[in-house]
Amino acid sequence: NAGVTQTPKFQVLKTGQSMTLQCAQDMNHEYMSWYRQDPGMGLRLIHYSVGAGITDQGEVPNGYNVSRSTTEDFPLRLLSAAPSQTSVYFCASSYSLPTSGSRRTDTQYFGPGTRLTVL
Amino acid sequence: QKEVEQDPGPLSVPEGAIVSLNCTYSNSAFQYFMWYRQYSRKGPELLMYTYSSGNKEDGRFTAQVDKSSKYISLFIRDSQPSDSATYLCAMNDSWGKFQFGAGTQVVVTP
């Protein structure tokens, strides 16, 4: 199993450009999510999905779009990049929405991250 | 005010010492508590998962949860240089609201 993969690893954008961060998992996980990590802020949830065709907003969704057409893939789209979106982005997946009280199903597996700089 | 507070450190300890980390939270709906370890330029990985108040041990790691005080802790015994990383606490409620702490950077010196 490759686990959770993310591409690209690094990206530099100019203000106003758009791009898509790719995330894929091969563990047949239903729950997938996108986080951004900024110094002193920890991980903040952007969007999440509980299955193909179902997505919902997290804590900081503005400026980002997601879709989930397959179980494996969960791309994150930046519509018009802004310097405030400079961050490290992590994709994560788990068997189910992490609320069951079971370590096996609730454990979120993270990808290696994408470092994005917006000039 | 953040729902989860965690001292960012850095926390520097000599090899073999006990590392003590903690988080406080304000949302009494949080039921599940986790500690993640994150090495530099890597994604977080789950270390400990607890549901109820009390202690849970896994090798050199002990997680404590005190729901009455809204306080959780992680202890690392016999610390090693390979334990140098950022440790993030995380918690969620039964509806899936998930919050991470800011993370504490730990440095274990040989």
Side-chain angles (χ1 to χ4, degrees), chain B residues 57-106:
Chain B
E57 281 193 25
D58 185 357
R60 296 184 296 112
F61 300 92
T62 299
Q64 282 186 352
V65 175
D66 183 347
K67 288 186 177 180
S68 62
S69 300
K70 297 189 180 64
Y71 187 90
I72 68 171
S73 301
L74 177 71
F75 300 96
I76 308 173
R77 292 185 298 279
D78 188 24
S79 58
Q80 305 295 311
S82 58
D83 294 325
S84 297
T86 296
Y87 292 81
L88 302 103
C89 63
M91 50 199 76
N92 61 330
D93 61 24
S94 58
W95 291 275
K97 181 174 183 179
F98 210 92
Q99 288 281 349
F100 279 86
T104 299
Q105 183 186 2
V106 172

Side-chain angles (χ1 to χ4, degrees), chain A residues 5-23:
Chain A
T5 58
Q6 290 183 239
T7 55
K9 290 186 178 180
F10 303 94
Q11 184 69 51
V12 178
L13 292 177
K14 294 181 179 179
T15 297
Q17 287 183 316
S18 62
M19 80 159 296
T20 299
L21 278 62
Q22 301 292 342
C23 174

